[in-house]
Amino acid sequence: MKSPVVRVEREHDVATLIIDNPPVNALGAPVLAALSEALDELDAEPSISALVVTGHGDKFIAGADLSRLERIAAGTLEPSPPSGTPSLPALVARLEQGPKPSVAAIDGFALGGGLELAMACAARVGTARCRLGLPELNLGLIPGAGGTQRLPRLVGVEKAVEMMLGGAPIGAVEARALGLLDDLVGEAALRERARELARSLATGAVTRRRTLTLTERLAPPDEIRALIARARADTRRKLRNVDYPGACLDAIEEGALLGAEAGLARERAEFLRLLSSEAARGKLHVFFATRAAAKVPGVTDAGPAPRALGRVGVLGGGTMGSGIATALVRAGVEVIIKEATDERAEAALARVRANLERDAAKGRLSDDEARRAGSRLTGQTSYDGFDALALVIEAASESVELKQQLFQELEAHTSSECILATNTSTIELATVSAGTQAGPRTLGLHFFSPAQVMRLVEVVRTRETSPRALVDALELVKRLKKTAVTVRSCPGFLVNRIFMRYGQACGLLIDRGVHPYRIDDALYAFGMPMGPNRMGDLAGLDVSVAAARVLDAAYPDGAYRSALRQLLVDAGRLGDKSGAGHYRHEDGRAERDPALDRFVAEARRLAGEPPPLEVTDDEIVKMLVFGVVNEACRALDEGAVVRASDVDVAAILGMGFPDYRGGPMKWADGFGARAVRDALARFHERTGSALFSPSALLTARAAAGASLLD
């Protein structure tokens, strides 16, 4: 057999099948066809008594061909495999039931279909660096090649449920303790140990057990039913508007109670059904959109290779600065926090230490990792040592004069190679760096609060920002295990700019008689983590009002602001931090407050008592979210953002837009550009507000029948 993706090495009576399908050994059609052909040949060779399945180098199999799944989910490809190619479930079953026992030799990732294939082998040997998991629910799917049946039989139903619903892979030591791995060896000994075990299985020295026949790890039926019921109730509390967790639990329960054959049939039916669901389409879109966001045309494909940045400086150790410093030291970066006084520097260090202690208490870091991270941090009040830094992040308060002063000081105290980054959320970068010659090494690193938790970083560039500075910044964000979305400098950058319309539409509806709590309820039911009014309380209404002034001045066309938030601020109701805003806040809980109605009535009076607007909850959602899409189209038209899918990534990670809907652009594209334009035009006609005027790009896409994602 000759195949570019699967090669066979024979050593005496054991054949080793080596999968080599870069970059991650995905189980695409060529690999499945080559594996099937290899099994045909090896089954027919009397001299071969056992098989080893492994990957090339430090890669086993990282899962299925997701690009193919995305096309199936989109309806552009049939789910059946190409003619002559076995399906993954068929290949897995053949490996388990075949005449010759097989052993999986696992180094690196065995995820999704890769773990399903490994579990069909009679035994599994791994290295210390292997990671095993079934992350299909992260894509709105469930395992489709027997994972819901084999994993419970190897590790027990409770652990299998935890692994599948959580989606995170487990390490080698845990896998060995659970019985998912039969042995754990060094990398150099992996294949030899797998061959040795394969021979023992072939000779009967070790009893061959087919995974689907195992029952000793299955709990009694009543315990299984109770466990599944608890898991079902828990997922319903945590996840709204999706049914893939329930489908996974149904398949597990059916197999555990009625037998593997029934479970496999249920699993396959649910997998195929979910493959055409909105959740799968949305989550697969996000998967590829997140990877695309790391690519900046003309820079990452043509610019210099990124440098490994050394020590980083952070100016300002308040909530944001200390959060940024926490993320840096956790990633192994040495950090200097500079503050104005010794007292403030010590307070900044204390905030970082407290963040690390919380991480350790929640199990995100071990106590030793937290101590090592803390040792990477120093605080000072001078610029001593800044001349040796590779990057400085300014995280001072949102004052133009202060930021300009700090950038002038940084220009004088850093080398010409040091990148100067600002964490501003509203001020244009050219304004921040005015009075300096640091334009080529200036960019924005806009972290979202809390910076040590939120995954999104807007990497903001100007026309002067050098490719060197940009690729280095993108590499740093990657090192922090965060996701970068690159945008051009403009007021509000991307997330704050496009969600400006979300807040404006909310205010207009309030002034037209729609209660703030009803708006919040509608957006929460849609899938947002909280409604816009509750979000305003969390962020701080004084901060919201100040940012709104900047954004309204920058984008006056169609701007609309209800007086409600200013009235609340004037009354000292700033949100969570003051104990009251739109809601009352006590002991971390937001309670509805009848006193809000007085402020709503005054806001309506100041708006001229416009006639009440009769709207459905669906219209409330569309008024707010289509406004986001409309403004995103303007940003795309201006070149402020590279691609429409970047908008989706930023909205999901920065604002909590439900990922199972794919982001605002993907969700709106499901209706079509023409339907979005027409809806906005109707809202414009009904309200008389230019807030809903369709943008030029949206209008053009609608006229051409083009996708919003093009």
Side-chain angles (χ1 to χ4, degrees), residues 104-107 124-130 172 181-186 190:
I106 305 171
D107 193 14
R124 288 151 297 284
V125 180
T127 70
R129 62 188 177 189
C130 72
L181 289 178
D182 296 278
D183 203 355
L184 196 54
V185 298
L190 178 64

Side-chain angles (χ1 to χ4, degrees), residues 355-377:
N355 289 337
L356 295 172
E357 288 168 4
R358 276 192 294 271
D359 286 340
K362 293 181 178 180
R364 298 188 187 118
L365 296 174
S366 69
D367 290 339
D368 187 51
E369 287 170 332
R371 281 192 295 271
R372 288 202 304 269
S375 71
R376 300 184 188 109
L377 182 70

Side-chain angles (χ1 to χ4, degrees), residues 82 97 163 177 222 275 306 386 421 446 452 456 510 525 557 559 643 668:
Q97 301 298 329
M163 288 178 64
D222 287 348
L275 196 49
F386 271 59
H446 179 213
Q452 70 274 22
L456 178 65
I510 291 169
D557 292 345
R643 52 185 77 83

Side-chain angles (χ1 to χ4, degrees), residues 45-60:
E45 287 190 31
S47 61
I48 297 299
S49 63
L51 312 172
V52 169
V53 181
T54 192
H56 176 71
D58 63 349
K59 296 177 177 65
F60 184 66

Side-chain angles (χ1 to χ4, degrees), residues 394 398 403 422-429 432 445-446 493:
E394 171 272 308
E398 201 76 344
K403 289 182 183 292
T422 175
N423 183 59
T424 180
S425 58
T426 56
I427 306 170
E428 286 213 62
L429 268 61
V432 173
L445 286 176
H446 179 213
F493 308 137

Side-chain angles (χ1 to χ4, degrees), residues 44-236:
E45 287 190 31
S47 61
I48 297 299
S49 63
L51 312 172
V52 169
V53 181
T54 192
H56 176 71
D58 63 349
K59 296 177 177 65
F60 184 66
I61 302 168
D65 180 356
L66 295 185
S67 62
R68 182 172 182 274
L69 290 182
E70 185 185 38
R71 295 197 300 276
I72 295 171
T76 60
L77 186 68
E78 289 297 318
S80 56
S83 178
T85 301
S87 67
L88 180 57
L91 183 70
V92 166
R94 177 179 180 181
L95 199 63
E96 184 173 66
Q97 301 298 329
K100 300 175 181 181
S102 57
V103 175
I106 305 171
D107 193 14
F109 286 105
L111 302 178
L115 181 56
E116 289 179 301
L117 185 145
M119 290 191 296
C121 294
R124 288 151 297 284
V125 180
T127 70
R129 62 188 177 189
C130 72
R131 304 277 286 171
L132 301 90
L134 294 175
E136 284 86 350
L137 272 74
N138 293 336
L139 299 173
L141 299 169
I142 66 171
T148 63
Q149 306 307 305
R150 292 185 177 88
L151 188 60
R153 286 167 169 76
L154 289 169
V155 304
V157 173
E158 185 171 10
K159 185 63 182 180
V161 166
E162 176 191 319
M163 288 178 64
M164 283 185 262
L165 294 187
I170 62 172
V173 173
E174 183 179 4
R176 178 69 180 91
L178 290 167
L180 190 53
L181 289 178
D182 296 278
D183 203 355
L184 196 54
V185 298
E187 290 88 355
L190 178 64
R191 291 188 189 177
E192 182 54 40
R193 174 63 183 124
R195 285 192 290 265
E196 178 185 298
L197 184 52
R199 287 192 181 96
S200 297
L201 288 162
T203 63
V206 174
T207 302
R208 178 181 181 182
R209 303 195 308 166
R210 290 174 170 84
T211 307
L212 286 180
T213 67
L214 304 179
T215 58
E216 57 264 33
R217 297 301 301 272
L218 297 179
D222 287 348
E223 288 185 25
I224 291 172
R225 291 188 186 96
L227 191 156
I228 295 291
R230 288 194 300 271
R232 205 183 302 279
D234 188 48
T235 56
R236 283 173 179 161

